[in-house]
Amino acid sequence: MARFARSIESNGQRHHLRRDRRRAGPPRQPASKTGKLRNVSKTAMVDHYSLVQQLTGHALSNADRSRRLHDFAYELGWRPSDRMDLPEADEFALGHLIVEHGLQNTAVISFLRQPSRFPDLNTSQQKVLLNASYNNLVDWHINIDYDGVSFVYNRFKPPQFYVYRDRISRANVARLSSGEFEKLSTDHPSPNVPALDDALIETISLWKRQLGSEVTGMSTESLSALFNAVIFARAAEDHARATRGHVESDGRAFSARLLPEIFERTANLTLRSVLGEALATLTSGGIPASVVDLDALAVFDGLSPLTASEFLDDFYRNRYARYFEYDFSLMSKHALSRIYERYVSVLRIPQTRQTTLFPPLAQEHLERSYGNVYTPEFIARFFAKYLRRQLPLGTFQRLKVADPACGSGIFLRTILELQHEVLLDNMTTEAVARLFRNVLGLDIDPNACQAARLSLSLLALVLMDRLPDIIHIVNSESVEYFQEHPELSGSIDAVIANPPFVTIEAQSDELKDRVGRLLGEAGKGRVDLYLAILRLGMEMLRPGGFGLFVLPQNFLLAESARGMRTYLSERAWIHCLADLSAVPIFGDVGVYVILLIVQRLPGLQQTAPRATILRAQDMVGQALQDVLESRLIESPYYSIYEVGQEVFRENVWSVLPPQSAAIQKKFSEFSELRSFAQPSQGIITGADDVFLIPKHQVPKGESSIYLSFLSDREMEAYTVPPRTSRYFFYPFVDGKLLDEVGLREGFPRTWEYLESHRERLERRKTVISGSVVWWRPERPRDPKTLMRPKIVTPHLVISPRFALDTTGFLAVSHAPMVIAKVRELEYDHLRFLLAVLNSSSCFWYISQHSHSYQRGYSRLEARTLGRTRIPNPLKVDPIIVRRLVRLVDERIETAGPKMFSLEGDIDEVVADLYGMTPSERRLVGMEVAR
Ligand SMILES: C[S@@+](CC[C@H](N)C(=O)[O-])C[C@H]1O[C@@H](n2cnc3c(N)ncnc32)[C@H](O)[C@@H]1O
């Protein structure tokens, strides 16, 4: 295999190669159901070399070129997401494809016109190409010419870049396949140019702060109107240049930069009048105030001309990547969805409706009270493509779509993009206009609505060269809107939403009331707002319509979601459930999600589909692509399998692969732990920083009201440490809770210490509400439960670490603990239980039923432990119970390598008790000889 030449290695040095995870090219493609990787070039029917010669030659008609581009993509394993028109490159390039992998746009492929070759293009020609990929948020530009291919990584040292060049010949065209690109795309220097979205968001954020300190009376609304106006004007300008080659008004052509030119031409112009004039020039008939509210720009009238001109300038030239120019027309089509999501977040800061009287250099923090965590584009693409695959083309194009929590409109926009992509060669302006009429978005946030209108308007502008006649984006609270518009029920073909996750505590009384009324029977317990949005989304669907939702992972298990699970299982088919909770989809905001795709039962009798289940640990984009292609896969990164609809009739949706389901069935025949032991939760103080103190701070003579604190970090499997470093204030004497007098008089130094922290302690919610006196921990737990031999465990675990506190003197915080129900059998039962809980089999079961976090952590709760299925020691053969108790005692006494063989023995005995087969033992992580 020929090696690629690295034509550029700056200063002759090798760069540190790093994988930029967010934008890196696709990772290795996993094997398909048949275990084989798709080998595109071997199965090819067409001579690839001739194809390249045709695509870089002059002889093709437009229609032939279009067909040949498709052939190329198909033959070499590329998944084109769009074609790109680049009139400025017509002189030296014949066509451009945007290709994707794992639902992310990965590269732009350009075919250069013979005799052009990428290395021979002059600097400005190269810039036309690379500016285009950069403005599409794509890091790689693959330039194919008659003689070879140049893979250019555009985020390193422009104008040299990082380039791989390889010759092609009839015998060597494999380099052009997507598989080869996959291999090389992860190998590039660390980018030293920010990606387009980072640069633009940084620019917006910078101006937001700068204007905040210069403009008195600036509100979030006026700021949003300003950015919307400038983005719209820039997009319309770039679009006019791309389609007509120039911008003109009253017969007069403008130079390359319309806004600065208008600004410089006339004295005393304001941003408002410049943008107004530009928009009038660029759009016939002006622009509706619902999209760009020019009146709201009045507050910027006093801005100094210098600042205004610098502001406008920053939306042409990229402040953070000087080589590149913004092309808002290109961005509007492909990149803006991603940018808008972040744009709306930036606008929210600070979250206040009031005008800023004394504008600070705005402190930026993300306001999450609306549950506004925005969806990454690849999830929106997955939903859109899923729908596309479920529906006949004609239906897909007439789809009525609604998003009841639309934010900046990413879902609606992505559906429209795909509908347009599908129409591509036979679209009429009327067909495109109809697509826009068929969408409905609701959002409580006015700025998000503005951004959604802008985003959809711009898309319309680039797709059909005019604004849509109507955009149904409504600024409203969705539950209220739905209740006031009964005609919406059963009227929509597809509802797509990433509903806000808002706990009951964060809901206003009015909202709580509405949610309660909407959910009725299905709304028992502490219902989160997302359940109401899910419900109204389902109610909007016509029979046979599809609902596609991003939901929190606890939807599968939570008691408060049970009503909605039942509702779905009775009225809909589950088509796909993708558990992405092990993957940080939303970065580090602590939100763990599933994707749920359901179909309202169609009116006609039809056979229920099997549901596709995806459980992903990594490579989510690829995994979702495989779901789209109906591949069933078991890989270290993810599994895709099918289950019948009956599993959704269970109380909880712990949807498992067949073998796991078989194990679950076995477990279900055993008793719940709570039938012979008592699980409970450790101490909760509400102010650990005060109630938990280092040993040396325990006042002399007062140690009887302190308990040794065992932290999660100090816990090991089986044993507890001989001493711990911190102590809990535990106000019990002789098993009785102290009162204030008893504490003040009997333990004066402790009282003095607590008094010194009184203010902090009084700030606790429970103290404010009057349920706890200020000096007491919130839930200190009764000594009868706490000060007994007990099993303890950390709250968050990745492997079992149940330990036995034989003396009962240790206190744990938040994490669960277990005591025996029958005191006389305590010794045996706790040891037996310890063996079972620490076994691979039982821990597998526990982690399947617990809330899971990134990197495989599970959160253990007393309730989950109580429901864990355990062989009942009262029913197990006493010889086996004694054997396990002996093994546990030995394990507690043992240190060093022998521990492992004892644990192995315990594992085997417990697996025998559960009746696990060899392959089931392997599945739960035991080592089994093959
Ligand atoms: C998780 S974001 C999703 C935004 C967008 N659909 C996306 O997927 O990126 C939730 C959105 O719901 C909106 N929202 C919150 N409460 C709402 C309510 N009661 N009615 C309508 N929209 C609401 C927020 O403003 C936010 O834009």
Side-chain angles (χ1 to χ4, degrees), residues 341 370-371 373-375 403 405-407 411 443-444 477-478 498 500:
E341 297 309 310
Y370 286 161
V373 175
Y374 288 94
T375 316
D403 179 348
C406 68
F411 287 133
D443 202 287
I444 199 168
E477 196 283 299
S478 298
N498 174 1

Side-chain angles (χ1 to χ4, degrees), residues 755-766:
E755 276 262 298
S756 70
H757 292 283
R758 186 167 180 149
E759 202 192 317
R760 157 80 182 93
L761 295 175
E762 282 181 341
R763 279 204 309 270
R764 289 176 296 161
K765 274 193 191 141
T766 43

Side-chain angles (χ1 to χ4, degrees), residues 852-917:
S852 56
Y853 290 90
Q854 289 166 35
R855 297 188 292 275
Y857 278 88
S858 300
R859 192 179 70 208
L860 303 193
E861 303 294 359
R863 232 157 73 116
T864 336
L865 272 190
R867 290 194 180 147
T868 301
R869 302 296 182 136
I870 306 275
N872 189 332
L874 295 166
K875 296 187 185 155
V876 171
D877 181 348
I879 299 176
I880 298 178
V881 176
R882 272 203 300 283
R883 169 134 198 254
L884 273 181
V885 171
R886 247 196 340 268
L887 281 169
V888 167
D889 277 339
E890 225 182 308
R891 168 61 186 81
I892 289 174
E893 296 303 318
T894 309
K898 179 138 192 271
M899 274 176 359
F900 301 115
S901 75
L902 283 167
E903 285 177 12
D905 292 349
I906 292 173
D907 242 9
E908 290 295 336
V909 179
V910 176
D912 288 345
L913 280 177
Y914 280 117
M916 305 276 278
T917 65

Side-chain angles (χ1 to χ4, degrees), residues 391-495:
L391 303 170
L393 185 56
T395 314
F396 182 65
Q397 260 145 19
R398 283 190 302 275
L399 218 54
K400 277 195 165 173
V401 192
D403 179 348
C406 68
S408 71
I410 188 166
F411 287 133
L412 301 175
R413 185 186 166 104
T414 312
I415 292 267
L416 285 167
E417 284 172 14
L418 192 64
Q419 285 174 318
H420 174 261
E421 258 169 65
V422 176
L423 272 176
L424 212 57
D425 289 329
N426 42 16
M427 70 181 163
T428 60
T429 305
E430 176 44 32
V432 181
R434 193 171 3 122
L435 302 180
F436 283 82
R437 270 176 234 137
N438 274 346
V439 299
L440 166 68
L442 306 173
D443 202 287
I444 199 168
D445 176 2
N447 293 327
C449 290
Q450 282 287 50
R453 283 185 205 112
L454 176 66
S455 169
L456 299 191
S457 303
L458 285 180
L459 186 65
L461 188 76
V462 294
L463 298 186
M464 55 182 183
D465 208 14
R466 69 169 163 88
L467 293 177
D469 33 24
I470 187 152
I471 303 181
H472 303 286
I473 300 289
V474 184
N475 180 207
S476 172
E477 196 283 299
S478 298
V479 183
E480 186 177 23
Y481 188 85
F482 179 71
Q483 284 166 338
E484 286 175 358
H485 290 81
E487 74 282 4
L488 275 176
S489 290
S491 69
I492 304 286
D493 301 312
V495 171

Side-chain angles (χ1 to χ4, degrees), residues 522-550:
K524 295 225 174 81
R526 303 162 48 74
V527 284
D528 194 293
L529 178 60
Y530 83 84
L531 290 166
I533 308 259
L534 170 63
R535 172 62 170 267
L536 68 86
M538 290 305 297
E539 298 279 329
M540 281 183 185
L541 289 176
R542 62 160 179 76
F546 278 83
L548 306 96
F549 303 98
V550 180

